[in-house]
Amino acid sequence: MIIPKTKEEIEKMREAALVVSKTLGMLAKEVKPGVTTLYLDKLAEEFIRDHDAVPGFLGLYDFPNTLCVSPNAQVVHGIPNDTPLQEGDIISIDCGAVKHEFYGDHAYTFPVGEVTPDVEKLLRITKESLYVGIREFKTGNRVGDVGYAIQQYCEKEGYGVVRELVGHGLGKTMHEDPEMPNYGRRGRGKKFVEGMTVAIEPMINMGTKNIKQLKDGWTILTRDGKPSAHFEHDVAIVNGKPKLLSTFDYIYEALGIQSNEEDDFRF
Ligand code: MG
Ligand code: MG
């Protein structure tokens, strides 16, 4: 069942989304060679609690940490550990927080130092596909329109679109209806309505779309060992159009990146 939110509820969700956005902005400065993901996890937990919020993943379905950190061939759900990041790695960081009873859920894939041009392209295309999908999240459209747009955008580059993991409705629980796949057929699936709030999150592999899971019961990685990228925004439909609840502004501010990618979707 889709649970549309009132204007007041969307304001609260905006605050939760800003907590995770600021957390990733804080982490952007910390991601560098030699740093462990366990250290990033500690920083994130403290930061979230300092902002009158609660880590959203910690304990959710028994997940052991605040962040999901997934380097290189890991797609999502990686568990923080004491292996230092290395120059040329990429690291997908997914962060959840609860504030005013609502969840924020937000992810970004960071390059660690310099990465190869083909990896840089994977990051760029995956992030662009996120906005290509967001543009389709409006009243009158359906779930399949978002998935179709993301899938076409990534597959024309020869990339694999992960099938087993999908975006989702977001609210007082982390995973509400509807599921928001990153693949699909135009005009198919549930219809979007005013006040809907979802997490759109393309998980895109440089090679095969196929994945496997580690024995830890969490970590998802690509079956061919090639890298994977993940970007996630929280989005609401306001006056029929997609409005971003989360923002990469804090990351870009930290890294000195100029971008107008969010301009059409400002809250
Ligand atoms: Mg997430
Ligand atoms: Mg999510």
Side-chain angles (χ1 to χ4, degrees), residues 23 26-27 30 35-51 55 58 63-69 79-82 93-95:
T23 306
M26 178 275 296
L27 292 173
E30 305 291 337
V35 163
T36 71
T37 50
L38 212 44
Y39 173 71
L40 298 177
D41 187 71
K42 291 262 182 302
L43 289 180
E45 179 172 358
E46 279 176 27
F47 188 90
I48 289 167
R49 294 193 192 281
D50 284 348
H51 286 75
L58 184 64
F63 189 76
N65 290 86
T66 293
L67 299 177
C68 294
V69 285
I79 298 174
N81 63 27
D82 56 9
I93 302 183
D94 195 345
C95 180

Short mmCIF file of all heavy atoms in Angstrom, two decimals, residues 23 26-27 30 35-51 55 58 63-69 79-82 93-95:
data_model
loop_
_atom_site.label_atom_id
_atom_site.label_comp_id
_atom_site.label_asym_id
_atom_site.label_seq_id
_atom_site.Cartn_x
_atom_site.Cartn_y
_atom_site.Cartn_z
N THR A 23 25.61 14.13 6.63
CA THR A 23 26.53 13.07 7.06
C THR A 23 27.45 12.68 5.91
O THR A 23 28.67 12.57 6.09
CB THR A 23 25.75 11.83 7.55
OG1 THR A 23 24.82 12.22 8.56
CG2 THR A 23 26.69 10.78 8.12
N MET A 26 30.00 15.38 5.37
CA MET A 26 31.07 15.29 6.36
C MET A 26 32.06 14.18 5.97
O MET A 26 33.28 14.36 6.03
CB MET A 26 30.44 15.02 7.74
CG MET A 26 31.38 14.84 8.91
SD MET A 26 32.01 13.15 9.10
CE MET A 26 30.48 12.25 9.46
N LEU A 27 31.51 13.05 5.53
CA LEU A 27 32.37 11.90 5.18
C LEU A 27 33.20 12.18 3.93
O LEU A 27 34.30 11.64 3.78
CB LEU A 27 31.52 10.65 4.97
CG LEU A 27 30.85 10.08 6.22
CD1 LEU A 27 29.90 8.95 5.83
CD2 LEU A 27 31.87 9.59 7.24
N GLU A 30 36.62 12.86 4.52
CA GLU A 30 37.35 11.81 5.24
C GLU A 30 37.74 10.64 4.35
O GLU A 30 38.60 9.84 4.72
CB GLU A 30 36.51 11.28 6.40
CG GLU A 30 36.04 12.35 7.38
CD GLU A 30 37.18 12.94 8.20
OE1 GLU A 30 38.23 12.26 8.34
OE2 GLU A 30 37.03 14.07 8.67
N VAL A 35 42.33 5.31 5.17
CA VAL A 35 41.23 5.38 6.14
C VAL A 35 40.43 4.08 6.13
O VAL A 35 40.22 3.49 5.06
CB VAL A 35 40.31 6.58 5.77
CG1 VAL A 35 38.97 6.49 6.45
CG2 VAL A 35 41.01 7.89 6.11
N THR A 36 40.00 3.62 7.29
CA THR A 36 39.19 2.39 7.32
C THR A 36 37.70 2.75 7.31
O THR A 36 37.30 3.82 7.77
CB THR A 36 39.47 1.54 8.57
OG1 THR A 36 38.94 2.21 9.72
CG2 THR A 36 40.97 1.31 8.76
N THR A 37 36.92 1.82 6.80
CA THR A 37 35.48 2.06 6.74
C THR A 37 34.84 2.00 8.13
O THR A 37 33.80 2.61 8.37
CB THR A 37 34.80 1.06 5.78
OG1 THR A 37 35.22 -0.27 6.11
CG2 THR A 37 35.21 1.35 4.34
N LEU A 38 35.49 1.29 9.04
CA LEU A 38 35.01 1.26 10.43
C LEU A 38 35.15 2.64 11.06
O LEU A 38 34.28 3.09 11.82
CB LEU A 38 35.82 0.22 11.22
CG LEU A 38 35.14 -0.53 12.35
CD1 LEU A 38 33.74 -1.01 11.99
CD2 LEU A 38 36.00 -1.73 12.77
N TYR A 39 36.23 3.34 10.72
CA TYR A 39 36.42 4.71 11.21
C TYR A 39 35.33 5.63 10.64
O TYR A 39 34.73 6.43 11.38
CB TYR A 39 37.82 5.21 10.81
CG TYR A 39 38.07 6.66 11.09
CD1 TYR A 39 38.22 7.11 12.41
CD2 TYR A 39 38.16 7.59 10.07
CE1 TYR A 39 38.45 8.46 12.69
CE2 TYR A 39 38.38 8.94 10.33
CZ TYR A 39 38.53 9.37 11.63
OH TYR A 39 38.75 10.70 11.90
N LEU A 40 35.05 5.49 9.35
CA LEU A 40 33.99 6.30 8.74
C LEU A 40 32.65 6.02 9.43
O LEU A 40 31.85 6.93 9.66
CB LEU A 40 33.88 5.99 7.24
CG LEU A 40 35.11 6.30 6.38
CD1 LEU A 40 34.87 5.86 4.93
CD2 LEU A 40 35.48 7.78 6.44
N ASP A 41 32.44 4.77 9.76
CA ASP A 41 31.19 4.36 10.42
C ASP A 41 31.05 5.04 11.78
O ASP A 41 29.97 5.53 12.13
CB ASP A 41 31.19 2.84 10.56
CG ASP A 41 29.87 2.31 11.07
OD1 ASP A 41 28.88 2.36 10.32
OD2 ASP A 41 29.82 1.88 12.24
N LYS A 42 32.12 5.06 12.55
CA LYS A 42 32.10 5.72 13.88
C LYS A 42 31.79 7.21 13.74
O LYS A 42 30.99 7.76 14.49
CB LYS A 42 33.48 5.58 14.55
CG LYS A 42 33.84 4.18 14.98
CD LYS A 42 33.55 3.97 16.45
CE LYS A 42 33.95 2.56 16.91
NZ LYS A 42 33.26 1.51 16.11
N LEU A 43 32.47 7.85 12.77
CA LEU A 43 32.23 9.28 12.54
C LEU A 43 30.76 9.53 12.21
O LEU A 43 30.15 10.47 12.71
CB LEU A 43 33.09 9.78 11.38
CG LEU A 43 34.59 9.91 11.57
CD1 LEU A 43 35.22 10.42 10.27
CD2 LEU A 43 34.93 10.85 12.73
N ALA A 44 30.22 8.67 11.35
CA ALA A 44 28.84 8.85 10.89
C ALA A 44 27.86 8.68 12.06
O ALA A 44 26.92 9.48 12.22
CB ALA A 44 28.52 7.86 9.78
N GLU A 45 28.10 7.68 12.89
CA GLU A 45 27.16 7.45 14.00
C GLU A 45 27.15 8.66 14.95
O GLU A 45 26.08 9.14 15.34
CB GLU A 45 27.53 6.17 14.78
CG GLU A 45 26.57 5.97 15.95
CD GLU A 45 26.71 4.63 16.67
OE1 GLU A 45 27.53 3.79 16.26
OE2 GLU A 45 25.97 4.46 17.67
N GLU A 46 28.35 9.14 15.28
CA GLU A 46 28.44 10.31 16.16
C GLU A 46 27.74 11.52 15.55
O GLU A 46 27.00 12.24 16.22
CB GLU A 46 29.91 10.68 16.40
CG GLU A 46 30.59 9.84 17.45
CD GLU A 46 32.09 10.19 17.56
OE1 GLU A 46 32.47 11.34 17.25
OE2 GLU A 46 32.85 9.29 17.93
N PHE A 47 28.00 11.72 14.27
CA PHE A 47 27.45 12.88 13.56
C PHE A 47 25.92 12.85 13.56
O PHE A 47 25.26 13.85 13.83
CB PHE A 47 28.00 12.91 12.14
CG PHE A 47 27.67 14.15 11.37
CD1 PHE A 47 28.52 15.24 11.39
CD2 PHE A 47 26.51 14.23 10.61
CE1 PHE A 47 28.22 16.40 10.67
CE2 PHE A 47 26.19 15.39 9.89
CZ PHE A 47 27.06 16.47 9.93
N ILE A 48 25.38 11.68 13.28
CA ILE A 48 23.92 11.54 13.23
C ILE A 48 23.31 11.81 14.61
O ILE A 48 22.34 12.56 14.75
CB ILE A 48 23.53 10.14 12.70
CG1 ILE A 48 23.86 10.04 11.21
CG2 ILE A 48 22.06 9.85 12.95
CD1 ILE A 48 23.80 8.62 10.65
N ARG A 49 23.93 11.23 15.65
CA ARG A 49 23.38 11.44 17.00
C ARG A 49 23.52 12.90 17.43
O ARG A 49 22.64 13.44 18.11
CB ARG A 49 24.09 10.51 17.99
CG ARG A 49 23.79 9.03 17.72
CD ARG A 49 24.22 8.14 18.87
NE ARG A 49 24.20 6.72 18.52
CZ ARG A 49 23.09 5.97 18.47
NH1 ARG A 49 21.91 6.49 18.76
NH2 ARG A 49 23.17 4.69 18.13
N ASP A 50 24.61 13.55 17.02
CA ASP A 50 24.79 14.99 17.31
C ASP A 50 23.74 15.85 16.62
O ASP A 50 23.57 17.01 16.97
CB ASP A 50 26.18 15.46 16.85
CG ASP A 50 27.28 15.01 17.79
OD1 ASP A 50 26.96 14.53 18.90
OD2 ASP A 50 28.47 15.12 17.41
N HIS A 51 23.10 15.32 15.61
CA HIS A 51 22.07 16.08 14.89
C HIS A 51 20.66 15.61 15.28
O HIS A 51 19.72 15.67 14.46
CB HIS A 51 22.29 15.97 13.37
CG HIS A 51 23.45 16.81 12.91
ND1 HIS A 51 24.76 16.44 13.12
CD2 HIS A 51 23.49 18.02 12.30
CE1 HIS A 51 25.56 17.38 12.64
NE2 HIS A 51 24.81 18.34 12.14
N PRO A 55 20.79 6.55 13.99
CA PRO A 55 21.18 5.78 12.80
C PRO A 55 20.03 4.88 12.34
O PRO A 55 19.41 4.20 13.16
CB PRO A 55 22.37 4.95 13.29
CG PRO A 55 22.95 5.75 14.40
CD PRO A 55 21.75 6.38 15.10
N LEU A 58 21.46 0.80 11.72
CA LEU A 58 21.99 0.07 12.88
C LEU A 58 20.87 -0.74 13.54
O LEU A 58 19.91 -0.17 14.05
CB LEU A 58 22.59 1.07 13.87
CG LEU A 58 23.30 0.53 15.12
CD1 LEU A 58 24.53 -0.26 14.75
CD2 LEU A 58 23.67 1.68 16.06
N PHE A 63 21.23 -5.44 10.96
CA PHE A 63 22.47 -4.93 10.37
C PHE A 63 23.34 -4.35 11.50
O PHE A 63 22.84 -3.66 12.38
CB PHE A 63 22.19 -3.85 9.32
CG PHE A 63 23.44 -3.45 8.55
CD1 PHE A 63 23.96 -4.28 7.57
CD2 PHE A 63 24.11 -2.26 8.84
CE1 PHE A 63 25.13 -3.93 6.88
CE2 PHE A 63 25.28 -1.91 8.16
CZ PHE A 63 25.79 -2.74 7.19
N PRO A 64 24.67 -4.65 11.49
CA PRO A 64 25.51 -4.32 12.65
C PRO A 64 26.05 -2.90 12.73
O PRO A 64 26.67 -2.55 13.74
CB PRO A 64 26.68 -5.31 12.51
CG PRO A 64 26.78 -5.60 11.06
CD PRO A 64 25.37 -5.49 10.51
N ASN A 65 25.86 -2.06 11.71
CA ASN A 65 26.54 -0.76 11.70
C ASN A 65 25.63 0.38 11.25
O ASN A 65 24.49 0.16 10.87
CB ASN A 65 27.77 -0.83 10.78
CG ASN A 65 28.87 -1.69 11.37
OD1 ASN A 65 28.88 -2.91 11.20
ND2 ASN A 65 29.78 -1.07 12.09
N THR A 66 26.21 1.59 11.29
CA THR A 66 25.48 2.79 10.87
C THR A 66 25.49 2.95 9.36
O THR A 66 24.51 3.37 8.75
CB THR A 66 26.12 4.04 11.52
OG1 THR A 66 25.90 3.95 12.94
CG2 THR A 66 25.53 5.33 10.99
N LEU A 67 26.62 2.63 8.74
CA LEU A 67 26.77 2.77 7.29
C LEU A 67 26.84 1.41 6.61
O LEU A 67 27.38 0.45 7.17
CB LEU A 67 28.08 3.50 6.96
CG LEU A 67 28.28 4.91 7.47
CD1 LEU A 67 29.68 5.40 7.09
CD2 LEU A 67 27.23 5.86 6.92
N CYS A 68 26.34 1.35 5.39
CA CYS A 68 26.71 0.28 4.48
C CYS A 68 27.84 0.85 3.62
O CYS A 68 27.68 1.91 3.01
CB CYS A 68 25.54 -0.12 3.58
SG CYS A 68 24.17 -0.88 4.45
N VAL A 69 28.96 0.17 3.60
CA VAL A 69 30.12 0.65 2.84
C VAL A 69 30.57 -0.44 1.89
O VAL A 69 30.94 -1.55 2.31
CB VAL A 69 31.28 1.06 3.78
CG1 VAL A 69 30.98 2.37 4.45
CG2 VAL A 69 31.56 0.01 4.81
N ILE A 79 29.72 -4.38 4.97
CA ILE A 79 29.84 -4.11 6.41
C ILE A 79 31.17 -3.42 6.67
O ILE A 79 32.21 -3.88 6.20
CB ILE A 79 29.74 -5.44 7.21
CG1 ILE A 79 28.38 -6.08 6.99
CG2 ILE A 79 29.99 -5.19 8.70
CD1 ILE A 79 28.22 -7.46 7.60
N PRO A 80 31.16 -2.31 7.41
CA PRO A 80 32.42 -1.62 7.72
C PRO A 80 33.44 -2.56 8.37
O PRO A 80 33.07 -3.43 9.17
CB PRO A 80 31.98 -0.53 8.72
CG PRO A 80 30.56 -0.26 8.37
CD PRO A 80 30.00 -1.61 7.96
N ASN A 81 34.72 -2.38 8.00
CA ASN A 81 35.77 -3.21 8.58
C ASN A 81 37.06 -2.40 8.71
O ASN A 81 37.07 -1.19 8.46
CB ASN A 81 35.97 -4.50 7.76
CG ASN A 81 36.43 -4.21 6.35
OD1 ASN A 81 37.06 -3.18 6.08
ND2 ASN A 81 36.11 -5.09 5.43
N ASP A 82 38.16 -3.07 9.10
CA ASP A 82 39.40 -2.32 9.37
C ASP A 82 40.39 -2.39 8.21
O ASP A 82 41.58 -2.14 8.39
CB ASP A 82 40.03 -2.81 10.69
CG ASP A 82 40.28 -4.30 10.68
OD1 ASP A 82 40.12 -4.93 9.60
OD2 ASP A 82 40.63 -4.85 11.75
N ILE A 93 28.90 4.57 -0.21
CA ILE A 93 28.48 4.73 1.18
C ILE A 93 26.98 5.02 1.20
O ILE A 93 26.51 5.98 0.59
CB ILE A 93 29.23 5.88 1.88
CG1 ILE A 93 30.75 5.62 1.83
CG2 ILE A 93 28.76 6.02 3.32
CD1 ILE A 93 31.58 6.67 2.56
N ASP A 94 26.25 4.16 1.90
CA ASP A 94 24.80 4.27 2.03
C ASP A 94 24.52 4.58 3.49
O ASP A 94 25.05 3.90 4.39
CB ASP A 94 24.17 2.94 1.59
CG ASP A 94 22.68 3.04 1.34
OD1 ASP A 94 22.06 4.04 1.76
OD2 ASP A 94 22.14 2.11 0.73
N CYS A 95 23.71 5.62 3.72
CA CYS A 95 23.51 6.10 5.09
C CYS A 95 22.02 6.28 5.37
O CYS A 95 21.32 6.89 4.57
CB CYS A 95 24.25 7.43 5.25
SG CYS A 95 24.11 8.15 6.87
#
